[in-house]
Amino acid sequence: MKFITFTALICSGILLGQIKTDSIAYPDHQPDYSDHVYKPSYKKLIIPATFIGFGVASLTTDALKNLNTSTKYEIGEHQPKHIKLDNYTQYLPAAMVYGYNLAGIKGKHNFKERTIIYGTSQLISAAFVLPLKHLVKEERPDQSNNLSFPSGHTAAAFSSAHFLFREYQDDHFWLAISGYPIAVFTGVYRTLNDKHWVGDVVAGAGFGILSTELAYWVFPLVNQLFNNNKSKTGMMVFPVLDQNHAGAGFVLNF
């Protein structure tokens, strides 16, 4: 709990500093809606569709179901120590976006715009993941409940990593891809912690990437709705953690 409180205080300071920095660096900023990042393209759907298809197939295909069980068996043989770091790393790539901007390495959007995009991606991800968990009702490897498919932690991690990629891919490629290893770590540890099957994690990665792509596609419309509001608008997305659950909080002031 002390760690969570300490992290929250640091994040609050970063966000407040970021708001001040962006208000100076981006006066009356208007994004270029003709940019490729806002343009829907079937090519951008190939990777997430492949991951999601793999995950769905793992629910019914014998070969992939055997991969799930054999991986669980191998993990059980080595008995790795369970850690809870994946509860935090799922949001780390998104936090890096704000950290890089605060350090002076500007991304594609200012604070308000990127927060709208990230918040939208998390809402879309939740709209995919939460209903599917209750519809599929796949039992977790540790038999704790029937909410295994797809992995919400992995979806959040890859959504965050893809958000980092889209913000920095044009000018800082190596920074842009720095979130993906963290997302992979999160997914791997969902299996090592005996919380998810391989198929759950792969599907979660697909839903996460897809959610961020959709968030950028709808951003021009969403941003215009915010700008049409004459009152001052503020929005923030933040992780919500307790002993048994992990999620994202969403605050909107208008």
Side-chain angles (χ1 to χ4, degrees):
M1 183 59 68
K2 290 182 179 179
F3 175 79
I4 296 174
T5 303
F6 180 67
T7 303
L9 290 173
I10 291 178
C11 290
S12 298
I14 290 175
L15 291 175
L16 290 172
Q18 190 64 57
I19 293 171
K20 182 177 179 180
T21 301
D22 281 352
S23 65
I24 297 174
Y26 294 94
D28 299 323
H29 176 260
Q30 289 295 328
D32 178 11
Y33 292 139
S34 66
D35 193 287
H36 68 93
V37 76
Y38 308 121
K39 301 299 182 183
S41 168
Y42 75 90
K43 293 181 180 179
K44 297 178 181 178
L45 300 179
I46 293 175
I47 292 177
T50 301
F51 286 175
I52 294 170
F54 179 96
V56 171
S58 72
L59 297 171
T60 57
T61 306
D62 289 339
L64 296 182
K65 290 171 71 175
N66 289 337
L67 175 62
N68 282 338
T69 55
S70 63
T71 302
K72 173 179 168 57
Y73 175 79
E74 289 295 327
I75 292 173
E77 284 284 294
H78 293 87
Q79 296 183 342
K81 182 179 180 180
H82 292 185
I83 63 173
K84 296 183 178 181
L85 192 58
D86 49 350
N87 289 333
Y88 307 97
T89 56
Q90 61 180 320
Y91 301 111
L92 182 56
M96 291 164 64
V97 172
Y98 293 91
Y100 287 150
N101 276 271
L102 188 59
I105 308 173
K106 298 303 178 184
K108 189 175 292 292
H109 298 92
N110 64 22
F111 178 87
K112 178 183 175 181
E113 293 164 355
R114 81 176 76 100
T115 305
I116 290 173
I117 292 170
Y118 182 60
T120 303
S121 73
Q122 296 310 294
L123 291 175
I124 295 173
S125 179
F128 283 133
V129 171
L130 297 180
L132 279 173
K133 283 181 175 291
H134 291 278
L135 287 171
V136 176
K137 297 181 179 180
E138 182 188 39
E139 187 176 42
R140 292 186 187 272
D142 65 357
Q143 301 180 330
S144 58
N145 59 43
N146 293 324
L147 302 174
S148 191
F149 181 90
S151 169
H153 281 66
T154 309
F158 275 86
S159 175
S160 298
H162 203 55
F163 169 56
L164 172 60
F165 177 73
R166 287 301 183 207
E167 285 296 300
Y168 285 98
Q169 66 178 113
D170 294 335
D171 300 317
H172 304 281
F173 180 75
W174 293 110
L175 291 182
I177 64 174
S178 62
Y180 291 119
I182 299 171
V184 171
F185 170 90
T186 302
V188 168
Y189 257 90
R190 295 311 286 165
T191 60
L192 294 180
N193 287 338
D194 210 25
K195 288 297 183 182
H196 285 288
W197 308 99
V198 172
D200 305 336
V201 168
V202 176
F207 283 117
I209 295 172
L210 176 61
S211 298
T212 295
E213 285 294 344
L214 294 177
Y216 276 94
W217 294 355
V218 302
F219 171 71
L221 175 61
V222 175
N223 194 43
Q224 287 175 12
L225 292 176
F226 274 95
N227 288 334
N228 286 337
N229 190 335
K230 295 182 179 180
S231 62
K232 292 184 178 180
T233 304
M235 182 174 66
M236 183 173 68
V237 177
F238 56 91
V240 176
L241 305 166
D242 61 32
Q243 191 171 9
N244 300 313
H245 303 88
F250 184 77
V251 175
L252 176 64
N253 295 319
F254 59 91

